[in-house]
Amino acid sequence: MTLDFYQFRDKASKDIDIDLSSYKMKRVKRRINSLMDRHNIKDYDHCLEMLKTDREFKKAFLSHFTINTSEFFRNPKNFKYLQEEVFPKLINKKKKIKIWSAACSDGSEPYTLAIMLNELNVKPRNFEIQATDIDNEILRTAKKGIYNENSIKKVDSKIVNKYFSKKDDKYILDPKIKRRINFKQHNLLKDSYGSGWDLILCRNVFIYFTKEIKDEITQKLSNALDKDGYLFLGNTEYLLNPSKYDLDKEFASFYKRSK
Ligand SMILES: C[S@@+](CC[C@H](N)C(=O)[O-])C[C@H]1O[C@@H](n2cnc3c(N)ncnc32)[C@H](O)[C@@H]1O
């Protein structure tokens, strides 16, 4: 058997339980080929065999494929808007705010939310933050709550001193903040989105998906929001026609569910 790239992609999708055809093909191909080079794998047949038989390779394949870059308060202007405009509205309206950080990576994003709510004196019983990612490995890192300087470079030094303790070159998050996040594995391509969310963050993951899949996911995210709930996207992830998804653009990367 000599597999071409597309045959490999479809077979590998079954082995790793991620539909690779939903991702932008050029990027998938580039990343798979670079991993094969690194492991001295000559063809797709061999690569598939390795995926099936070598657990360590499968792990490397998955982490090479999912880019986990994140940081606390990524795109500060948007987080300022969240803290000053969105959270106060939600706090006034709801007894308990339901928040979902989808594709949360190493936890910097959901922990940023918990820090902000603490700064706004919102009691833990008045909010719930669910944080999900497809990558179990990164979720394990997230649960540890230990970060490098790079992760906190956008954070005000007062906040760093208040919420992190420093050990050697690591920043250890306050356990009180850590406890406020409920992490779980979730695949945006096939798992259920739930309903009644007041705020969903789905940031810097659309860039990897095809246009059709991005469209489908946007509709599902919108449907999962409560009326007047917010969808908070990444800085470069604009919706050209938000009304198509029953969303109104409110500010920069914030969209509000209109019905
Ligand atoms: C660049 S990180 C974004 C992290 C964070 N949202 C931020 O903006 O800083 C992209 C994340 O998307 C996750 N991801 C990729 N495909 C996914 C899928 N199908 N379902 C859920 N998460 C996925 C990756 O594992 C990775 O952690």
Side-chain angles (χ1 to χ4, degrees), residues 22-70:
S22 302
Y23 291 79
K24 284 183 189 150
M25 216 24 64
K26 259 197 189 146
R27 179 179 176 276
V28 172
K29 198 167 178 181
R30 201 173 55 236
R31 294 202 71 77
I32 290 174
N33 290 347
S34 80
L35 188 74
M36 284 169 64
D37 280 350
R38 203 187 287 175
H39 288 257
N40 214 4
I41 295 173
K42 296 273 178 291
D43 56 35
Y44 294 123
D45 292 72
H46 184 196
C47 192
L48 191 66
E49 186 59 27
M50 292 278 285
L51 268 184
K52 285 184 192 297
T53 56
D54 186 329
R55 280 186 62 182
E56 282 309 305
F57 179 74
K58 188 171 174 181
K59 236 159 108 183
F61 186 94
L62 281 169
S63 65
H64 191 70
F65 177 72
T66 54
I67 301 286
N68 298 127
T69 322
S70 191

Side-chain angles (χ1 to χ4, degrees), residues 157-175:
S157 59
K158 272 197 216 125
I159 297 284
V160 174
N161 294 334
K162 184 164 170 189
Y163 292 99
F164 294 86
S165 52
K166 195 158 181 230
K167 192 161 183 239
D168 304 325
D169 57 345
K170 301 285 183 210
Y171 292 80
I172 301 162
L173 184 66
D174 183 342

Side-chain angles (χ1 to χ4, degrees), residues 18-19 22-23 62 65-72 74-75 79 101-110 132-136 138 186-191 193 201-209 217 233-234 237:
I18 300 176
D19 179 7
S22 302
Y23 291 79
L62 281 169
F65 177 72
T66 54
I67 301 286
N68 298 127
T69 322
S70 191
E71 62 186 288
F72 283 77
R74 188 175 190 176
N75 314 125
F79 277 98
S101 163
C104 68
S105 187
D106 68 1
S108 310
E109 180 177 284
T132 62
D133 200 281
I134 195 170
D135 181 355
N136 260 326
I138 202 68
H186 178 276
N187 182 351
L188 284 163
L189 298 171
K190 62 170 204 179
D191 294 330
Y193 285 35
L201 291 85
C202 188
R203 311 182 67 232
N204 304 301
V205 63
F206 276 175
I207 36 177
Y208 305 127
F209 294 129
I217 292 181
L233 300 179
E237 299 165 324

Side-chain angles (χ1 to χ4, degrees), residues 200-246:
I200 301 177
L201 291 85
C202 188
R203 311 182 67 232
N204 304 301
V205 63
F206 276 175
I207 36 177
Y208 305 127
F209 294 129
T210 63
K211 197 173 156 299
E212 294 71 30
I213 293 294
K214 179 183 155 190
D215 198 55
E216 213 177 277
I217 292 181
T218 307
Q219 190 61 65
K220 288 207 276 185
L221 290 169
S222 173
N223 293 346
L225 285 169
D226 215 5
K227 182 179 179 311
D228 292 333
Y230 288 87
L231 176 62
F232 178 9
L233 300 179
N235 250 23
T236 55
E237 299 165 324
Y238 302 104
L239 299 180
L240 284 177
N241 183 8
S243 61
K244 178 176 158 197
Y245 314 98
D246 302 312

Side-chain angles (χ1 to χ4, degrees), residues 76-93:
K77 199 176 90 188
N78 282 310
F79 277 98
K80 188 165 184 280
Y81 186 79
L82 182 62
Q83 179 149 3
E84 291 177 359
E85 302 292 333
V86 176
F87 274 147
K89 275 188 210 153
L90 293 176
I91 293 162
N92 273 337
K93 203 175 77 171

Side-chain angles (χ1 to χ4, degrees), residues 13 71 78 96-97 120 131 142 150 179 181 218 238 246 255:
S13 295
E71 62 186 288
N78 282 310
K96 184 164 191 167
I97 312 169
L120 289 167
N150 220 19
R179 279 199 293 275
I181 312 297
T218 307
Y238 302 104
D246 302 312
Y255 296 86

